Amino acid sequence: MGNTSCRYVINAVGKGGETYLTHCQDKHALRKWIADHEDKLVMNELKIVDKKKHPFLKLFSLKR
């Protein structure tokens, strides 16, 4: 196995009930994936996890 570190994990729900789970290495790839799939996704159900974010900062960045 090589260096397959991914930074962002995307969990999304499609308009037809599909579930999307994918990984992106950087913010550019993340934005490209969202732009390519925007018409298929329910944007309110889009969840993006930054795996390299400091755990202490995760406590203060809760979005609702």
Side-chain angles (χ1 to χ4, degrees):
M1 295 186 118
N3 186 7
T4 59
S5 64
C6 63
R7 180 168 180 170
Y8 298 101
V9 178
I10 304 168
N11 188 0
V13 176
K15 292 181 180 176
E18 305 92 350
T19 302
Y20 295 93
L21 178 64
T22 189
H23 308 276
C24 294
Q25 290 184 352
D26 57 4
K27 194 175 277 190
H28 177 70
L30 172 71
R31 289 181 181 165
K32 183 179 180 335
W33 188 89
I34 292 172
D36 291 345
H37 295 86
E38 188 172 12
D39 58 330
K40 300 176 193 173
L41 300 176
V42 177
M43 296 307 282
N44 292 338
E45 297 293 325
L46 182 67
K47 294 181 180 84
I48 301 169
V49 178
D50 185 355
K51 291 173 58 176
K52 293 188 179 181
K53 191 172 192 178
H54 193 277
F56 185 70
L57 294 175
K58 289 180 184 178
L59 294 174
F60 295 109
S61 65
L62 297 175
K63 294 182 181 179
R64 297 199 181 236

